[in-house]
Amino acid sequence: MKIIRFFSKKEFQGLGQPLPAKKFLPDWYKDSEITFIGNDGAEHSGLKRCIPYMDAMLSGYMLVTPFDIFISKKEDGTLDIRWNSSEHFQYFIAEREKQLGEKMPRPAGHYPNHLAFRGVWGMKTPRGWSMLVTHPLNRFDLPWTITSGLMDSDKFSTSGNIPFFVKEDFTGMVPAGTPFAQLIPVKRASWKSIKNDQGITYLDDLQGATVRTPGKSYKKFFWVRKDYN
């Protein structure tokens, strides 16, 4: 078992502490269908039967908001964002200067404001492991979208700021404990791609036929359980 170490300064401990991603499965996923009746009248596997989709949401750890955040639109249509901060979190969210990332395309349907969550939690991974910091996977329901980064956190463990953009159609309160970034450890290795490898095409047909057979599934025959605590 590998060990990841999270740390912060004393004044930030207990605020927005990173937690396993499995603790943040949203209600819409919990309420999703296991099976459904298709247009052909037959029963088909639903969203909850797609194990790779679920695995993406359960992998790694989440950074969460340490307090409520309030998002609204000013009279002139520009973004207004506020938060209930403690003394040490007055600058939890900052807007970056226009020149920083000016050429970077903004996600569609978002304000142009280039914002950043202040990084207060550092992370230390074992030797040879990096950390993918990305938007919580499959969480298109969140009111923002963060940019992704890959950090060699075995060598550089200092916390970093996390850029994000707010959706233009969202107004309201985002409660404390809402995930804003997913942290997934990644083993570094050198890779070489092989194009159109006919030597394993039979495996594609075999495995595809297996999971389409009633009573058989990817989860039963191929899935490997992951464990993040």
Side-chain angles (χ1 to χ4, degrees):
M1 177 179 292
K2 299 295 182 182
I3 294 176
I4 180 171
R5 294 176 170 86
F6 293 109
F7 59 91
S8 70
K9 294 181 179 179
K10 185 176 294 185
E11 60 263 31
F12 299 127
Q13 291 179 9
L15 293 172
Q17 182 171 340
L19 294 170
K22 62 186 177 183
K23 294 182 178 293
F24 296 95
L25 271 181
D27 289 339
W28 61 257
Y29 180 81
K30 295 176 183 177
D31 295 337
S32 294
E33 76 288 348
I34 298 175
T35 62
F36 69 95
I37 303 300
N39 295 332
D40 58 0
E43 185 178 62
H44 299 274
S45 293
L47 181 62
K48 282 189 175 179
R49 288 271 179 89
C50 183
I51 302 303
Y53 186 97
M54 179 193 72
D55 258 350
M57 301 176 73
L58 297 180
S59 292
Y61 304 86
M62 292 288 191
L63 293 178
V64 301
T65 55
F67 32 67
D68 299 339
I69 296 174
F70 301 88
I71 299 174
S72 61
K73 185 178 292 189
K74 298 179 183 178
E75 290 185 2
D76 62 1
T78 58
L79 172 68
D80 185 36
I81 184 167
R82 306 172 186 272
W83 55 95
N84 286 331
S85 64
S86 67
E87 174 187 354
H88 304 293
F89 265 111
Q90 295 181 21
Y91 305 103
F92 175 59
I93 296 173
E95 183 164 357
R96 295 185 157 179
E97 295 186 21
K98 181 181 178 181
Q99 297 87 339
L100 178 57
E102 185 177 10
K103 302 287 187 183
M104 179 174 59
R106 275 41 177 168
H110 291 62
Y111 288 99
N113 306 62
H114 187 184
L115 306 171
F117 291 111
R118 179 183 178 186
V120 296
W121 285 93
M123 57 203 78
K124 182 73 172 176
T125 47
R127 185 170 62 182
W129 288 79
S130 298
M131 184 68 76
L132 174 63
V133 182
T134 192
H135 184 81
L137 298 176
N138 297 325
R139 293 299 306 272
F140 307 115
D141 55 313
L142 295 174
W144 46 59
T145 300
I146 77 162
T147 62
S148 299
L150 185 63
M151 185 171 70
D152 294 336
S153 48
D154 55 340
K155 299 180 178 181
F156 184 85
S157 53
T158 302
S159 60
N161 296 328
I162 299 176
F164 72 102
F165 299 92
V166 173
K167 293 179 179 177
E168 289 181 320
D169 61 356
F170 181 87
T171 58
M173 187 266 287
V174 185
T178 298
F180 63 85
Q182 190 165 356
L183 313 174
I184 303 177
V186 177
K187 181 75 169 70
R188 291 197 302 273
S190 296
W191 293 83
K192 180 180 179 180
S193 62
I194 298 177
K195 309 296 190 298
N196 195 24
D197 189 340
Q198 294 299 309
I200 58 172
T201 52
Y202 79 93
L203 193 59
D204 175 62
D205 294 333
L206 177 63
Q207 293 182 346
T210 298
V211 298
R212 287 191 292 270
T213 301
K216 298 184 178 181
S217 67
Y218 169 87
K219 181 178 181 180
K220 182 176 181 180
F221 290 95
F222 309 110
W223 180 55
V224 178
R225 184 178 295 277
K226 293 84 176 171
D227 195 16
Y228 299 91
N229 291 299

Short mmCIF file of all heavy atoms in Angstrom, two decimals, residues 193-214:
data_model
loop_
_atom_site.label_atom_id
_atom_site.label_comp_id
_atom_site.label_asym_id
_atom_site.label_seq_id
_atom_site.Cartn_x
_atom_site.Cartn_y
_atom_site.Cartn_z
N SER A 193 4.28 4.03 -28.02
CA SER A 193 3.03 3.57 -28.61
C SER A 193 3.29 2.67 -29.81
O SER A 193 4.27 2.86 -30.55
CB SER A 193 2.18 4.77 -29.04
OG SER A 193 2.84 5.52 -30.03
N ILE A 194 2.42 1.69 -29.98
CA ILE A 194 2.44 0.79 -31.14
C ILE A 194 1.13 0.97 -31.88
O ILE A 194 0.06 0.76 -31.31
CB ILE A 194 2.63 -0.67 -30.71
CG1 ILE A 194 3.99 -0.84 -30.00
CG2 ILE A 194 2.54 -1.60 -31.92
CD1 ILE A 194 4.23 -2.23 -29.47
N LYS A 195 1.21 1.38 -33.12
CA LYS A 195 0.01 1.68 -33.89
C LYS A 195 -0.56 0.41 -34.53
O LYS A 195 0.17 -0.39 -35.11
CB LYS A 195 0.34 2.70 -35.00
CG LYS A 195 1.08 3.94 -34.52
CD LYS A 195 0.25 4.78 -33.56
CE LYS A 195 0.88 6.13 -33.29
NZ LYS A 195 2.20 6.04 -32.65
N ASN A 196 -1.87 0.27 -34.42
CA ASN A 196 -2.60 -0.79 -35.13
C ASN A 196 -2.00 -2.17 -34.89
O ASN A 196 -1.64 -2.89 -35.83
CB ASN A 196 -2.63 -0.48 -36.64
CG ASN A 196 -3.66 -1.32 -37.37
OD1 ASN A 196 -4.62 -1.80 -36.76
ND2 ASN A 196 -3.45 -1.52 -38.65
N ASP A 197 -1.89 -2.54 -33.63
CA ASP A 197 -1.32 -3.84 -33.26
C ASP A 197 -2.36 -4.94 -33.50
O ASP A 197 -3.27 -5.16 -32.71
CB ASP A 197 -0.89 -3.82 -31.79
CG ASP A 197 -0.09 -5.05 -31.40
OD1 ASP A 197 -0.18 -6.06 -32.10
OD2 ASP A 197 0.62 -5.00 -30.39
N GLN A 198 -2.19 -5.65 -34.62
CA GLN A 198 -3.15 -6.70 -34.98
C GLN A 198 -3.02 -7.94 -34.11
O GLN A 198 -3.89 -8.80 -34.11
CB GLN A 198 -2.95 -7.08 -36.45
CG GLN A 198 -3.30 -5.96 -37.43
CD GLN A 198 -4.76 -5.54 -37.31
OE1 GLN A 198 -5.65 -6.37 -37.34
NE2 GLN A 198 -4.99 -4.24 -37.14
N GLY A 199 -1.93 -8.01 -33.36
CA GLY A 199 -1.71 -9.18 -32.52
C GLY A 199 -2.71 -9.33 -31.40
O GLY A 199 -2.87 -10.42 -30.84
N ILE A 200 -3.39 -8.24 -31.04
CA ILE A 200 -4.35 -8.34 -29.91
C ILE A 200 -5.76 -7.94 -30.33
O ILE A 200 -6.62 -7.74 -29.48
CB ILE A 200 -3.90 -7.47 -28.72
CG1 ILE A 200 -3.75 -6.00 -29.14
CG2 ILE A 200 -2.61 -7.98 -28.10
CD1 ILE A 200 -3.51 -5.07 -27.96
N THR A 201 -6.01 -7.85 -31.61
CA THR A 201 -7.37 -7.50 -32.04
C THR A 201 -8.39 -8.56 -31.62
O THR A 201 -9.55 -8.24 -31.36
CB THR A 201 -7.44 -7.31 -33.56
OG1 THR A 201 -6.89 -8.47 -34.21
CG2 THR A 201 -6.66 -6.08 -33.99
N TYR A 202 -7.93 -9.81 -31.55
CA TYR A 202 -8.85 -10.88 -31.14
C TYR A 202 -9.36 -10.63 -29.73
O TYR A 202 -10.51 -10.99 -29.38
CB TYR A 202 -8.16 -12.24 -31.20
CG TYR A 202 -7.26 -12.51 -30.03
CD1 TYR A 202 -7.73 -13.20 -28.91
CD2 TYR A 202 -5.94 -12.06 -30.02
CE1 TYR A 202 -6.91 -13.43 -27.82
CE2 TYR A 202 -5.12 -12.29 -28.94
CZ TYR A 202 -5.60 -12.97 -27.84
OH TYR A 202 -4.78 -13.19 -26.76
N LEU A 203 -8.53 -10.00 -28.89
CA LEU A 203 -8.91 -9.75 -27.51
C LEU A 203 -10.06 -8.75 -27.44
O LEU A 203 -10.97 -8.88 -26.60
CB LEU A 203 -7.71 -9.21 -26.73
CG LEU A 203 -7.82 -9.18 -25.21
CD1 LEU A 203 -8.07 -10.58 -24.65
CD2 LEU A 203 -6.54 -8.59 -24.60
N ASP A 204 -10.04 -7.78 -28.34
CA ASP A 204 -11.12 -6.79 -28.41
C ASP A 204 -12.45 -7.48 -28.69
O ASP A 204 -13.46 -7.21 -28.04
CB ASP A 204 -10.79 -5.77 -29.49
CG ASP A 204 -11.91 -4.77 -29.71
OD1 ASP A 204 -12.23 -4.03 -28.76
OD2 ASP A 204 -12.48 -4.73 -30.82
N ASP A 205 -12.46 -8.39 -29.66
CA ASP A 205 -13.69 -9.10 -30.00
C ASP A 205 -14.13 -10.01 -28.86
O ASP A 205 -15.32 -10.09 -28.53
CB ASP A 205 -13.49 -9.93 -31.26
CG ASP A 205 -13.25 -9.07 -32.49
OD1 ASP A 205 -13.73 -7.92 -32.50
OD2 ASP A 205 -12.59 -9.55 -33.43
N LEU A 206 -13.17 -10.69 -28.24
CA LEU A 206 -13.48 -11.63 -27.17
C LEU A 206 -14.07 -10.92 -25.96
O LEU A 206 -15.11 -11.33 -25.43
CB LEU A 206 -12.22 -12.40 -26.77
CG LEU A 206 -12.36 -13.38 -25.61
CD1 LEU A 206 -13.34 -14.50 -25.98
CD2 LEU A 206 -11.00 -13.99 -25.24
N GLN A 207 -13.42 -9.86 -25.52
CA GLN A 207 -13.89 -9.16 -24.34
C GLN A 207 -15.22 -8.45 -24.60
O GLN A 207 -16.10 -8.42 -23.74
CB GLN A 207 -12.84 -8.16 -23.86
CG GLN A 207 -11.59 -8.84 -23.33
CD GLN A 207 -10.56 -7.84 -22.80
OE1 GLN A 207 -10.65 -6.64 -23.06
NE2 GLN A 207 -9.58 -8.33 -22.08
N GLY A 208 -15.35 -7.87 -25.80
CA GLY A 208 -16.61 -7.22 -26.14
C GLY A 208 -17.77 -8.18 -26.14
O GLY A 208 -18.86 -7.86 -25.64
N ALA A 209 -17.56 -9.38 -26.67
CA ALA A 209 -18.61 -10.39 -26.68
C ALA A 209 -18.96 -10.84 -25.27
O ALA A 209 -20.13 -11.09 -24.95
CB ALA A 209 -18.17 -11.58 -27.52
N THR A 210 -17.95 -10.89 -24.40
CA THR A 210 -18.17 -11.34 -23.02
C THR A 210 -19.08 -10.38 -22.27
O THR A 210 -20.07 -10.80 -21.66
CB THR A 210 -16.84 -11.47 -22.28
OG1 THR A 210 -16.03 -12.45 -22.93
CG2 THR A 210 -17.06 -11.87 -20.83
N VAL A 211 -18.76 -9.09 -22.33
CA VAL A 211 -19.55 -8.14 -21.52
C VAL A 211 -20.94 -7.91 -22.09
O VAL A 211 -21.81 -7.40 -21.39
CB VAL A 211 -18.81 -6.80 -21.37
CG1 VAL A 211 -17.50 -6.98 -20.65
CG2 VAL A 211 -18.59 -6.13 -22.73
N ARG A 212 -21.16 -8.27 -23.34
CA ARG A 212 -22.50 -8.13 -23.91
C ARG A 212 -23.37 -9.36 -23.67
O ARG A 212 -24.56 -9.35 -23.99
CB ARG A 212 -22.40 -7.85 -25.41
CG ARG A 212 -21.93 -6.43 -25.75
CD ARG A 212 -22.10 -6.12 -27.23
NE ARG A 212 -21.20 -6.91 -28.06
CZ ARG A 212 -19.98 -6.53 -28.42
NH1 ARG A 212 -19.51 -5.36 -28.01
NH2 ARG A 212 -19.22 -7.29 -29.19
N THR A 213 -22.81 -10.41 -23.10
CA THR A 213 -23.56 -11.62 -22.81
C THR A 213 -24.37 -11.42 -21.53
O THR A 213 -23.81 -10.98 -20.52
CB THR A 213 -22.62 -12.83 -22.64
OG1 THR A 213 -21.86 -13.00 -23.84
CG2 THR A 213 -23.42 -14.09 -22.34
N PRO A 214 -25.67 -11.70 -21.51
CA PRO A 214 -26.48 -11.53 -20.30
C PRO A 214 -25.86 -12.25 -19.10
O PRO A 214 -25.42 -13.40 -19.20
CB PRO A 214 -27.82 -12.15 -20.69
CG PRO A 214 -27.88 -11.99 -22.18
CD PRO A 214 -26.47 -12.17 -22.65
#
